[in-house]
Amino acid sequence: MASNKPQIVGWIGLGSMGLAMAQNVQRFIQQDIKSQLRFWNRTASRGAQLELLGAIGCESIAQLVTECDLIFISTSDDAALNSIIDQILAVKDIDGKLFVDTTTVHPNTTKKSDEKLKNRNASFVAAPVFGATPVAESGKLLMAMAGPSEALDKIAPFGKGVLAREVMIVSDEPEKATLMKTLGNFITAATMEIVGEAQVLAEKSDLGTEMLEKLLELNFGGLMHSSSRRMTQGVYLPEEGQSPWSNLNLGIKDVQHGISCAQGVGARLKVAEVALENMVRAREFSDAHGGRPLDSSSGYGIIRQDAGLDFENTFVKERDTRKEDGSSQ
Protein backbone atom coordinates (compact mmCIF):
# COMPACT_ATOMS: atom_id res chain seq x y z
CA MET A 1 0.00 0.00 0.00
CA ALA A 2 1.29 3.45 -0.93
CA SER A 3 2.17 5.63 2.03
CA ASN A 4 -0.30 8.35 1.03
CA LYS A 5 -3.29 6.00 1.26
CA PRO A 6 -4.73 5.80 4.78
CA GLN A 7 -5.52 2.34 6.07
CA ILE A 8 -8.92 3.16 7.55
CA VAL A 9 -11.32 5.53 5.81
CA GLY A 10 -14.56 6.84 7.29
CA TRP A 11 -17.62 8.60 5.88
CA ILE A 12 -20.07 10.77 7.81
CA GLY A 13 -23.38 11.66 6.13
CA LEU A 14 -25.42 9.64 3.65
CA GLY A 15 -27.77 12.05 1.93
CA SER A 16 -28.31 11.43 -1.77
CA MET A 17 -24.93 12.96 -2.66
CA GLY A 18 -23.11 11.48 0.32
CA LEU A 19 -24.38 7.98 -0.33
CA ALA A 20 -23.41 8.12 -4.00
CA MET A 21 -19.88 9.32 -3.18
CA ALA A 22 -19.45 6.89 -0.29
CA GLN A 23 -20.32 3.96 -2.52
CA ASN A 24 -17.61 4.99 -4.98
CA VAL A 25 -15.07 5.31 -2.16
CA GLN A 26 -16.01 1.89 -0.78
CA ARG A 27 -15.55 0.25 -4.18
CA PHE A 28 -12.17 1.94 -4.53
CA ILE A 29 -10.71 1.11 -1.13
CA GLN A 30 -11.97 -2.45 -1.23
CA GLN A 31 -10.17 -3.03 -4.50
CA ASP A 32 -7.13 -0.78 -4.15
CA ILE A 33 -6.41 -0.59 -0.43
CA LYS A 34 -8.00 -3.92 0.57
CA SER A 35 -9.92 -2.22 3.35
CA GLN A 36 -13.54 -1.47 4.26
CA LEU A 37 -15.15 1.94 4.59
CA ARG A 38 -16.55 2.85 8.00
CA PHE A 39 -19.67 5.00 7.88
CA TRP A 40 -22.13 6.81 10.12
CA ASN A 41 -25.44 8.42 9.35
CA ARG A 42 -28.15 9.79 11.61
CA THR A 43 -30.64 7.43 9.95
CA ALA A 44 -28.74 4.15 10.07
CA SER A 45 -30.92 2.44 7.45
CA ARG A 46 -29.47 4.75 4.79
CA GLY A 47 -26.30 2.66 5.00
CA ALA A 48 -27.93 -0.59 3.82
CA GLN A 49 -26.60 -0.22 0.27
CA LEU A 50 -23.11 0.47 1.59
CA GLU A 51 -23.21 -2.61 3.79
CA LEU A 52 -24.10 -4.70 0.75
CA LEU A 53 -20.87 -3.41 -0.81
CA GLY A 54 -18.89 -4.45 2.27
CA ALA A 55 -18.75 -1.21 4.26
CA ILE A 56 -19.07 -1.24 8.06
CA GLY A 57 -21.55 0.89 9.98
CA CYS A 58 -20.54 2.69 13.17
CA GLU A 59 -22.85 3.43 16.09
CA SER A 60 -21.60 6.98 16.57
CA ILE A 61 -19.42 9.68 15.11
CA ALA A 62 -17.07 9.17 18.04
CA GLN A 63 -16.60 5.49 17.16
CA LEU A 64 -15.95 6.29 13.51
CA VAL A 65 -13.45 9.04 14.26
CA THR A 66 -11.62 6.84 16.78
CA GLU A 67 -11.25 4.01 14.25
CA CYS A 68 -10.37 6.04 11.14
CA ASP A 69 -7.38 7.99 9.84
CA LEU A 70 -9.19 9.85 7.06
CA ILE A 71 -12.79 10.97 7.50
CA PHE A 72 -14.99 12.41 4.76
CA ILE A 73 -17.99 14.55 5.69
CA SER A 74 -21.04 15.09 3.50
CA THR A 75 -23.96 16.87 5.11
CA SER A 76 -26.70 19.32 4.21
CA ASP A 77 -25.80 22.76 5.52
CA ASP A 78 -23.77 24.89 7.91
CA ALA A 79 -25.72 23.96 11.03
CA ALA A 80 -25.36 20.24 10.33
CA LEU A 81 -21.62 20.62 9.71
CA ASN A 82 -21.16 22.59 12.94
CA SER A 83 -22.92 19.83 14.85
CA ILE A 84 -20.67 17.17 13.32
CA ILE A 85 -17.52 19.18 14.05
CA ASP A 86 -18.60 19.57 17.68
CA GLN A 87 -19.05 15.80 17.97
CA ILE A 88 -15.63 15.24 16.42
CA LEU A 89 -14.04 17.65 18.88
CA ALA A 90 -15.61 15.71 21.74
CA VAL A 91 -13.41 12.73 20.83
CA LYS A 92 -10.46 12.56 23.20
CA ASP A 93 -7.67 12.06 20.67
CA ILE A 94 -7.85 13.30 17.07
CA ASP A 95 -4.15 14.07 16.68
CA GLY A 96 -2.96 13.52 13.10
CA LYS A 97 -6.39 12.69 11.71
CA LEU A 98 -7.49 14.20 8.41
CA PHE A 99 -11.03 15.50 7.85
CA VAL A 100 -12.36 16.27 4.37
CA ASP A 101 -15.59 18.21 4.05
CA THR A 102 -17.48 17.93 0.77
CA THR A 103 -20.42 20.04 2.01
CA THR A 104 -21.41 23.33 0.42
CA VAL A 105 -21.21 25.83 3.27
CA HIS A 106 -20.35 29.48 3.77
CA PRO A 107 -16.59 30.12 3.56
CA ASN A 108 -16.70 31.53 7.11
CA THR A 109 -18.06 28.19 8.34
CA THR A 110 -15.20 26.41 6.60
CA LYS A 111 -12.64 28.74 8.16
CA LYS A 112 -14.02 28.20 11.66
CA SER A 113 -14.05 24.42 11.21
CA ASP A 114 -10.43 24.51 10.06
CA GLU A 115 -9.37 26.60 13.04
CA LYS A 116 -11.13 24.33 15.55
CA LEU A 117 -9.53 21.18 14.15
CA LYS A 118 -6.09 22.77 13.86
CA ASN A 119 -6.25 23.58 17.55
CA ARG A 120 -6.59 19.84 18.17
CA ASN A 121 -3.67 18.90 15.88
CA ALA A 122 -5.96 17.54 13.18
CA SER A 123 -5.90 18.49 9.49
CA PHE A 124 -8.83 19.84 7.49
CA VAL A 125 -9.49 20.04 3.77
CA ALA A 126 -12.52 21.59 2.09
CA ALA A 127 -13.51 19.63 -1.00
CA PRO A 128 -16.94 20.79 -2.21
CA VAL A 129 -18.24 19.21 -5.39
CA PHE A 130 -20.01 20.43 -8.50
CA GLY A 131 -22.77 18.23 -9.89
CA ALA A 132 -26.11 16.64 -9.02
CA THR A 133 -26.75 13.16 -7.63
CA PRO A 134 -26.66 11.31 -11.01
CA VAL A 135 -23.21 12.82 -11.64
CA ALA A 136 -22.05 11.76 -8.17
CA GLU A 137 -23.25 8.21 -8.81
CA SER A 138 -21.12 8.00 -11.94
CA GLY A 139 -18.04 9.43 -10.18
CA LYS A 140 -17.95 12.37 -12.60
CA LEU A 141 -18.20 15.29 -10.20
CA LEU A 142 -15.89 18.29 -10.38
CA MET A 143 -14.16 18.73 -7.03
CA ALA A 144 -12.50 21.86 -5.65
CA MET A 145 -9.93 21.17 -2.92
CA ALA A 146 -8.13 23.52 -0.58
CA GLY A 147 -5.96 22.79 2.43
CA PRO A 148 -2.39 21.90 3.49
CA SER A 149 -0.34 20.34 0.70
CA GLU A 150 0.49 17.21 2.74
CA ALA A 151 -3.23 16.63 3.34
CA LEU A 152 -4.05 17.14 -0.32
CA ASP A 153 -1.46 14.50 -1.23
CA LYS A 154 -3.18 12.00 1.07
CA ILE A 155 -6.58 12.67 -0.48
CA ALA A 156 -5.38 12.61 -4.09
CA PRO A 157 -6.08 8.89 -4.68
CA PHE A 158 -9.76 9.45 -3.85
CA GLY A 159 -10.22 12.39 -6.21
CA LYS A 160 -9.90 12.00 -9.96
CA GLY A 161 -11.13 8.62 -11.12
CA VAL A 162 -13.01 7.80 -7.90
CA LEU A 163 -15.16 10.72 -6.83
CA ALA A 164 -14.48 13.16 -9.62
CA ARG A 165 -13.74 13.59 -13.30
CA GLU A 166 -11.33 16.36 -12.34
CA VAL A 167 -9.97 18.03 -9.20
CA MET A 168 -9.13 21.72 -8.90
CA ILE A 169 -6.50 22.56 -6.28
CA VAL A 170 -7.61 26.04 -5.20
CA SER A 171 -5.44 27.13 -2.26
CA ASP A 172 -3.84 26.09 1.03
CA GLU A 173 -6.69 27.94 2.77
CA PRO A 174 -9.76 25.63 2.98
CA GLU A 175 -12.26 28.50 2.87
CA LYS A 176 -11.12 29.39 -0.64
CA ALA A 177 -12.57 26.11 -1.94
CA THR A 178 -16.01 26.85 -0.51
CA LEU A 179 -15.77 30.38 -1.91
CA MET A 180 -15.08 28.82 -5.31
CA LYS A 181 -18.12 26.56 -4.87
CA THR A 182 -20.24 29.54 -3.86
CA LEU A 183 -19.24 31.36 -7.04
CA GLY A 184 -20.02 28.26 -9.07
CA ASN A 185 -23.44 28.02 -7.47
CA PHE A 186 -24.09 31.67 -8.30
CA ILE A 187 -23.20 31.04 -11.94
CA THR A 188 -25.47 27.99 -12.04
CA ALA A 189 -28.39 29.80 -10.41
CA ALA A 190 -27.92 32.80 -12.72
CA THR A 191 -27.80 30.50 -15.74
CA MET A 192 -31.05 28.80 -14.73
CA GLU A 193 -32.67 32.21 -14.25
CA ILE A 194 -31.55 33.39 -17.70
CA VAL A 195 -32.49 30.14 -19.43
CA GLY A 196 -35.86 30.04 -17.67
CA GLU A 197 -36.68 33.56 -18.81
CA ALA A 198 -35.55 32.77 -22.37
CA GLN A 199 -37.57 29.55 -22.49
CA VAL A 200 -40.72 31.34 -21.36
CA LEU A 201 -40.23 33.97 -24.05
CA ALA A 202 -39.64 31.28 -26.68
CA GLU A 203 -42.82 29.50 -25.62
CA LYS A 204 -45.03 32.59 -25.52
CA SER A 205 -43.74 34.00 -28.82
CA ASP A 206 -44.25 30.66 -30.63
CA LEU A 207 -40.57 30.25 -31.45
CA GLY A 208 -40.78 27.03 -29.47
CA THR A 209 -38.77 25.61 -26.59
CA GLU A 210 -37.19 22.88 -28.74
CA MET A 211 -35.73 25.41 -31.16
CA LEU A 212 -34.26 27.50 -28.35
CA GLU A 213 -32.88 24.40 -26.67
CA LYS A 214 -31.10 23.45 -29.90
CA LEU A 215 -29.50 26.90 -30.00
CA LEU A 216 -28.34 26.51 -26.40
CA GLU A 217 -26.80 23.14 -27.24
CA LEU A 218 -25.01 24.32 -30.37
CA ASN A 219 -23.87 27.76 -29.28
CA PHE A 220 -23.83 28.21 -25.50
CA GLY A 221 -22.31 25.09 -23.97
CA GLY A 222 -23.24 22.30 -21.63
CA LEU A 223 -24.40 24.34 -18.62
CA MET A 224 -26.92 26.32 -20.65
CA HIS A 225 -28.18 23.23 -22.43
CA SER A 226 -28.44 21.06 -19.31
CA SER A 227 -30.25 23.87 -17.46
CA SER A 228 -32.76 24.00 -20.28
CA ARG A 229 -33.26 20.24 -20.18
CA ARG A 230 -33.99 20.41 -16.45
CA MET A 231 -36.90 22.65 -17.35
CA THR A 232 -38.23 21.18 -20.58
CA GLN A 233 -37.95 17.59 -19.32
CA GLY A 234 -39.69 18.28 -16.01
CA VAL A 235 -36.75 17.89 -13.65
CA TYR A 236 -37.67 21.22 -12.04
CA LEU A 237 -40.92 19.65 -10.79
CA PRO A 238 -40.24 15.96 -10.03
CA GLU A 239 -42.96 13.35 -10.14
CA GLU A 240 -44.81 12.69 -6.91
CA GLY A 241 -42.62 10.49 -4.73
CA GLN A 242 -39.43 11.25 -6.68
CA SER A 243 -36.47 13.12 -5.22
CA PRO A 244 -35.12 16.22 -6.99
CA TRP A 245 -31.70 16.22 -8.56
CA SER A 246 -30.76 19.20 -6.39
CA ASN A 247 -33.05 20.13 -3.51
CA LEU A 248 -34.63 23.59 -3.73
CA ASN A 249 -34.05 24.39 -0.05
CA LEU A 250 -30.34 23.66 -0.40
CA GLY A 251 -30.27 25.74 -3.58
CA ILE A 252 -31.77 28.68 -1.71
CA LYS A 253 -29.12 28.27 0.99
CA ASP A 254 -26.37 28.24 -1.64
CA VAL A 255 -27.57 31.41 -3.36
CA GLN A 256 -27.91 33.16 0.01
CA HIS A 257 -24.27 32.30 0.72
CA GLY A 258 -23.24 33.92 -2.56
CA ILE A 259 -25.14 37.10 -1.79
CA SER A 260 -23.60 37.17 1.70
CA CYS A 261 -20.06 36.72 0.35
CA ALA A 262 -20.58 39.58 -2.10
CA GLN A 263 -21.93 41.85 0.61
CA GLY A 264 -18.93 41.00 2.77
CA VAL A 265 -16.53 42.54 0.26
CA GLY A 266 -18.72 45.43 -0.87
CA ALA A 267 -20.00 43.80 -4.07
CA ARG A 268 -23.46 42.77 -5.21
CA LEU A 269 -24.84 39.79 -7.16
CA LYS A 270 -28.00 41.32 -8.64
CA VAL A 271 -28.88 38.31 -10.78
CA ALA A 272 -28.58 36.12 -7.68
CA GLU A 273 -31.08 38.36 -5.91
CA VAL A 274 -33.60 37.87 -8.73
CA ALA A 275 -32.98 34.12 -8.80
CA LEU A 276 -33.33 33.92 -5.02
CA GLU A 277 -36.69 35.70 -5.09
CA ASN A 278 -38.02 33.20 -7.63
CA MET A 279 -36.63 30.25 -5.70
CA VAL A 280 -38.24 31.45 -2.47
CA ARG A 281 -41.56 31.86 -4.30
CA ALA A 282 -41.14 28.34 -5.70
CA ARG A 283 -40.79 27.13 -2.11
CA GLU A 284 -44.08 28.83 -1.34
CA PHE A 285 -45.62 26.92 -4.26
CA SER A 286 -44.23 23.72 -2.74
CA ASP A 287 -45.70 24.57 0.67
CA ALA A 288 -49.08 25.23 -0.93
CA HIS A 289 -48.96 21.79 -2.57
CA GLY A 290 -48.32 19.69 0.50
CA GLY A 291 -44.58 20.25 0.67
CA ARG A 292 -43.94 18.59 -2.70
CA PRO A 293 -40.15 18.45 -3.19
CA LEU A 294 -38.88 20.74 -5.92
CA ASP A 295 -35.58 20.97 -7.77
CA SER A 296 -33.36 24.02 -7.42
CA SER A 297 -34.32 24.88 -11.02
CA SER A 298 -37.98 25.35 -10.02
CA GLY A 299 -37.76 29.13 -10.19
CA TYR A 300 -38.63 28.41 -13.82
CA GLY A 301 -42.17 27.65 -12.69
CA ILE A 302 -42.43 31.09 -11.09
CA ILE A 303 -41.12 32.77 -14.25
CA ARG A 304 -43.87 30.90 -16.12
CA GLN A 305 -46.52 32.11 -13.70
CA ASP A 306 -45.35 35.71 -13.95
CA ALA A 307 -45.81 35.44 -17.72
CA GLY A 308 -49.37 34.15 -17.37
CA LEU A 309 -48.51 30.46 -17.83
CA ASP A 310 -49.10 27.54 -15.48
CA PHE A 311 -46.30 26.50 -13.11
CA GLU A 312 -46.42 23.09 -14.85
CA ASN A 313 -45.23 23.03 -18.46
CA THR A 314 -46.68 20.72 -21.09
CA PHE A 315 -44.14 17.98 -20.43
CA VAL A 316 -44.99 17.88 -16.72
CA LYS A 317 -48.74 17.92 -17.35
CA GLU A 318 -48.53 15.03 -19.82
CA ARG A 319 -46.15 13.06 -17.60
CA ASP A 320 -48.33 13.42 -14.52
CA THR A 321 -51.49 12.62 -16.50
CA ARG A 322 -49.93 9.40 -17.78
CA LYS A 323 -48.99 8.46 -14.23
CA GLU A 324 -52.50 9.16 -12.94
CA ASP A 325 -54.04 7.15 -15.78
CA GLY A 326 -51.69 4.26 -15.09
CA SER A 327 -52.40 4.24 -11.37
CA SER A 328 -56.16 4.25 -11.97
CA GLN A 329 -56.09 1.16 -14.13
Side-chain angles (χ1 to χ4, degrees), residues 15-18 20-21 131-139 141 244-246:
S16 57
M17 289 289 289
M21 291 189 285
T133 302
V135 184
E137 291 171 344
S138 65
L141 296 163
W245 282 8
S246 177

Side-chain angles (χ1 to χ4, degrees), residues 6 8-13 38 40 60-75 80-103 105 109-128 143-156 158 163 172-175 177-178:
I8 307 296
V9 182
W11 194 283
I12 297 172
R38 271 63 169 175
W40 179 89
S60 66
I61 288 177
Q63 179 191 349
L64 183 145
V65 171
T66 299
E67 294 182 2
C68 298
D69 307 300
L70 165 61
I71 298 97
F72 287 90
I73 302 169
S74 175
T75 190
L81 177 62
N82 287 335
S83 175
I84 289 169
I85 295 296
D86 287 344
Q87 292 176 71
I88 290 169
L89 294 171
V91 176
K92 183 177 180 180
D93 183 8
I94 59 172
D95 280 15
K97 294 184 184 290
L98 170 55
F99 297 88
V100 183
D101 180 34
T102 68
T103 313
V105 295
T109 302
T110 299
K111 186 173 183 178
K112 290 175 183 176
S113 298
D114 179 41
E115 291 171 349
K116 289 176 181 178
L117 290 167
K118 273 184 179 176
N119 288 337
R120 293 287 304 281
N121 296 317
S123 299
F124 182 78
V125 168
M143 179 173 278
M145 286 188 186
S149 58
E150 319 85 66
L152 296 176
D153 288 343
K154 291 180 180 179
I155 302 166
F158 301 89
L163 291 171
D172 60 357
E173 301 174 56
E175 64 269 22
T178 41

Side-chain angles (χ1 to χ4, degrees), residues 255-269:
V255 175
Q256 289 172 330
H257 282 343
I259 292 171
S260 171
C261 287
Q263 292 173 339
V265 295
R268 187 174 175 187
L269 302 179

Side-chain angles (χ1 to χ4, degrees), residues 54-300:
I56 301 171
C58 293
E59 294 184 358
S60 66
I61 288 177
Q63 179 191 349
L64 183 145
V65 171
T66 299
E67 294 182 2
C68 298
D69 307 300
L70 165 61
I71 298 97
F72 287 90
I73 302 169
S74 175
T75 190
S76 55
D77 55 27
D78 300 62
L81 177 62
N82 287 335
S83 175
I84 289 169
I85 295 296
D86 287 344
Q87 292 176 71
I88 290 169
L89 294 171
V91 176
K92 183 177 180 180
D93 183 8
I94 59 172
D95 280 15
K97 294 184 184 290
L98 170 55
F99 297 88
V100 183
D101 180 34
T102 68
T103 313
T104 300
V105 295
H106 195 287
N108 290 345
T109 302
T110 299
K111 186 173 183 178
K112 290 175 183 176
S113 298
D114 179 41
E115 291 171 349
K116 289 176 181 178
L117 290 167
K118 273 184 179 176
N119 288 337
R120 293 287 304 281
N121 296 317
S123 299
F124 182 78
V125 168
V129 295
F130 297 81
T133 302
V135 184
E137 291 171 344
S138 65
K140 300 298 183 182
L141 296 163
L142 174 63
M143 179 173 278
M145 286 188 186
S149 58
E150 319 85 66
L152 296 176
D153 288 343
K154 291 180 180 179
I155 302 166
F158 301 89
K160 187 174 182 178
V162 178
L163 291 171
R165 71 179 187 276
E166 193 61 70
V167 174
M168 297 178 63
I169 304 301
V170 180
S171 170
D172 60 357
E173 301 174 56
E175 64 269 22
K176 292 297 192 293
T178 41
L179 177 59
M180 175 76 83
K181 179 65 195 304
T182 298
L183 287 172
N185 288 338
F186 159 64
I187 292 169
T188 299
T191 298
M192 290 192 291
E193 177 67 27
I194 293 167
V195 170
E197 292 179 11
Q199 278 292 14
V200 168
L201 175 57
E203 181 173 343
K204 293 209 70 175
S205 60
D206 295 326
L207 173 65
T209 58
E210 292 183 5
M211 186 59 67
L212 175 60
E213 193 159 274
K214 191 65 176 176
L215 172 65
L216 295 174
E217 179 183 15
L218 295 176
N219 204 54
F220 291 97
L223 178 58
M224 285 276 189
H225 182 244
S226 64
S227 296
S228 179
R229 296 286 288 177
R230 287 172 78 164
M231 298 168 194
T232 62
Q233 300 304 301
V235 174
Y236 77 99
L237 179 56
E239 291 184 58
E240 291 280 4
Q242 296 296 312
S243 298
W245 282 8
S246 177
N247 185 277
L248 173 61
N249 291 323
L250 296 181
I252 289 172
K253 176 261 298 181
D254 293 343
V255 175
Q256 289 172 330
H257 282 343
I259 292 171
S260 171
C261 287
Q263 292 173 339
V265 295
R268 187 174 175 187
L269 302 179
K270 293 184 180 181
V271 178
E273 294 170 9
V274 174
L276 178 61
E277 179 185 354
N278 288 333
M279 294 168 79
V280 170
R281 290 172 60 196
R283 183 167 61 187
E284 293 170 357
F285 175 91
S286 169
D287 292 340
H289 290 77
R292 182 172 177 176
L294 298 181
D295 188 71
S296 58
S297 58
S298 55
Y300 165 63

